[in-house]
Amino acid sequence: MRVLVIGSGAREHALLLALRRDPQVDWLGVAPGNAGTSAVAEQCDLDITSGPAVVALARKVDADLVVIGPEVPLVLGVADALRAAGIACFGPSKDAARIEGSKAFAKDVMTAAGVRTAASEIVDNPANLDAALDRFGPPAGQAAWVVKDDGLAAGKGVVVTADRDAARAHAAALLDSGHPVLLESFLDGPEVSLFCVVDGETVVPLLPAQDFKRVGDNDSGPNTGGMGAYTPLPWLPAEVVTQIVDEIVKPVAAEMVSRGSSFSGLLYAGLAITSTGPSVVEFNCRFGDPETQAVLALLDSPLGGLLQAAATGTLASFGDLQWRDGAAVTVVIAAENYPGRPRTGDVIVGAEAPGVLHAGTARREDGAVVSAGGRVLSVVGTGDDLDAARAAAYQLIGSIKLPGSHFRTDIGLAAAEGRISL
C-alpha cells in the first residue's frame, strides 16, 4: 500500500512512524512535512488547502490512500476532492468536518442526538455580549466563564476565567475580528480525549488520553495547542470508555448519518468526566496533537489497514485493536514566547534522537535543524507504567538543546501520583 500523509506537524510524524510499522505499507509520502519527517517518508511540496493540488500530487505518487492530518484542509473540503477523483481518503467530508469547523453546528448535532454537553449560547452582536455574560460564569453559580471562538482557532481560541473583565475582553476581541462567540457553562471534572475511527455508524475507539492545554505547570498561563499528553488513564475505568462510546460517539455518528453528513475518519471527542457523567467539551474532525503522539506509540494493530478500512467503508470487519502494554507520555518543547509570536531560526541539538517527533522544524542549507514554529518538538517516552514513561520522556528532553525553549514538567504527574479521581 502506498500512503500519502498530508500535514507538517508532530501528529503527522507520529502517523508516519506508526504507518511504517505496518507491513502492508511499502511506500510513505508526506506533504509538506518537516525536518524530521524527511527521515521516514518522501517529502513533497504542496498547498494542503487546495483540493486540486492534493489530488494532482496523489495521482503523481500513485497513492492508494491519502491521510489528511490537519483540520483546515478537511474543513475546506480537500477530502471531497480526493473522493471525487476516486482516491481513497482518511478524513471526513467538508460537510461532516463542520463538527469541528462550527461549534454551533456541533452543539446542534449533540442536542439532536441527546448527548450531554455544556449549556451554551452564540453571541454574534456586541450589543448582546454583556447580557449573555451575565447568564454565564460565577454570578450564575459556575466556577468560571468559558468563552470560545465559534470557528477554528488551533486550540488557542478558548478562555476559561473567573475574571469577568478578561472574559469580556476575549469575547469583544473575537467579535471585533468578525468571529461569533460561543459562551458555555463550566464543566467540572477531569478531561479526557477519546479518538474514535468512524465509518458511518461503525465506531472503533482508541486508547483514551489526557492532554494539557495551559502553557505552564499546574495549568497556569494561557491556552496553547497542547503542551503534552499521556495514555492510558489509570484513573478512568474501562466501563466509562464504553459509556462514552455508547452514549456519546455512536449517537453523534448516527445523527450525522441521518443528516446526510456521514462521518468517515477520526472523530475526536474532548470530554469532561463530571459528577453526573461524561459530558462533551468539543468535537474535532481529526487526530489531536499532542495526544496522537502518545496513543500511536502503543498501537500494535496495523495503522495503514485500519485507516484504509475506514476510508473504504469496511471498518466493521476490521476487528478489535491490539495495544502494547505499558504507558506513553508526550512532552512538547515550545519556542521562546509561545503561545505568543514564537522565536524561530535557532539551531536545535538532539532533535534527531529516537523518540523525538518534529513539528515546527526546518532544515537549513548547511544541514542544521532549526526551529520554525511555536510547538517545535514532541518528545515521547514509553515504559511499563506512567512513572517509567514520564522518566523516559524527561530524560530524553535533557539531551535536547534549543535556546529560549520551554516545556511543562508535570505532564501525567497528577495521574502517576494518584491525585486524579472521579
Side-chain angles (χ1 to χ4, degrees):
M1 186 193 320
R2 296 173 64 84
V3 183
L4 174 64
V5 175
I6 305 300
S8 61
R11 165 185 50 216
E12 287 73 36
H13 198 168
L15 286 164
L16 290 165
L17 290 173
L19 287 164
R20 191 172 65 170
R21 298 197 300 265
D22 185 340
Q24 300 176 73
V25 177
D26 52 17
W27 180 87
L28 277 173
V30 61
N34 56 48
T37 58
S38 61
V40 292
E42 183 175 321
Q43 210 110 318
C44 310
D45 289 330
L46 181 68
D47 175 4
I48 66 172
T49 65
S50 167
V54 176
V55 168
L57 177 59
R59 284 176 169 160
K60 179 181 178 181
V61 301
D62 196 24
D64 299 302
L65 174 67
V66 177
V67 179
I68 300 177
E71 62 273 22
V72 172
L74 293 169
V75 170
L76 293 176
V78 170
D80 302 82
L82 287 161
R83 292 192 180 97
I87 300 168
C89 174
F90 183 81
S93 66
K94 178 179 181 178
D95 195 36
R98 287 185 295 161
I99 201 158
E100 178 170 0
S102 168
K103 294 177 180 65
F105 174 79
K107 288 288 187 182
D108 188 57
V109 168
M110 285 185 272
T111 298
V115 167
R116 187 165 42 238
T117 185
S120 65
E121 180 177 338
I122 291 286
V123 180
D124 56 10
N125 186 332
N128 300 330
L129 177 57
D130 285 305
L133 284 169
D134 289 342
R135 290 191 285 273
F136 291 83
Q142 302 293 328
W145 280 275
V146 180
V147 184
K148 297 182 177 182
D149 188 331
D150 182 53
L152 297 178
K156 292 178 283 187
V158 181
V159 164
V160 181
T161 179
D163 183 337
R164 189 184 192 281
D165 289 341
R168 191 186 191 287
H170 182 61
L174 291 173
L175 290 168
D176 287 346
S177 63
H179 292 222
V181 170
L182 181 77
L183 298 180
E184 284 189 337
S185 58
F186 180 79
L187 297 175
D188 65 331
E191 293 195 5
V192 172
S193 299
L194 184 65
F195 299 168
C196 294
V197 178
V198 175
D199 167 17
E201 295 192 37
T202 302
V203 174
V204 176
L206 279 62
L207 287 179
Q210 186 177 60
D211 78 330
F212 295 74
K213 288 295 187 187
R214 301 279 190 170
V215 71
D217 284 0
N218 301 313
D219 291 329
S220 62
N223 273 352
T224 70
M227 293 299 293
Y230 68 95
T231 189
L233 310 182
W235 49 269
L236 187 70
E239 55 266 28
V240 177
V241 176
T242 301
Q243 180 186 8
I244 292 167
V245 172
D246 290 345
E247 297 182 7
I248 293 175
V249 184
K250 286 184 176 180
V252 164
E255 174 62 21
M256 297 286 281
V257 170
S258 73
R259 291 173 176 234
S261 304
S262 182
F263 195 97
S264 173
L266 196 290
L267 186 58
Y268 165 155
L271 309 129
I273 311 302
T274 73
S275 55
T276 57
S279 186
V280 176
V281 175
E282 64 178 352
F283 276 109
N284 292 332
C285 64
R286 38 70 194 182
F287 281 100
D289 182 340
E291 300 99 320
T292 299
Q293 293 88 295
V295 171
L296 292 187
L298 299 182
L299 180 66
D300 233 5
S301 294
L303 181 63
L306 174 65
L307 304 188
Q308 186 184 49
T312 56
T314 59
L315 183 62
S317 60
F318 185 81
D320 295 334
L321 299 184
Q322 303 300 313
W323 299 94
R324 300 175 184 181
D325 293 334
V329 171
T330 301
V331 182
V332 170
I333 298 178
E336 183 176 342
N337 198 44
Y338 178 81
R341 184 175 182 178
R343 169 175 158 176
T344 60
D346 290 305
V347 173
I348 309 167
V349 176
E352 297 178 278
V356 180
L357 278 60
H358 289 228
T361 66
R363 195 174 296 276
R364 287 193 324 206
E365 290 184 3
D366 63 1
V369 176
V370 299
S371 58
R375 292 188 297 169
V376 181
L377 301 170
S378 284
V379 176
V380 180
T382 58
D384 291 338
D385 56 24
L386 193 50
D387 279 322
R390 276 178 41 81
Y394 284 108
Q395 181 178 14
L396 184 51
I397 283 177
S399 67
I400 298 169
K401 307 299 179 187
L402 172 60
S405 64
H406 58 96
F407 59 88
R408 284 185 60 157
T409 66
D410 62 348
I411 303 301
L413 179 60
E417 294 179 345
R419 292 188 280 115
I420 302 179
S421 61
L422 301 185

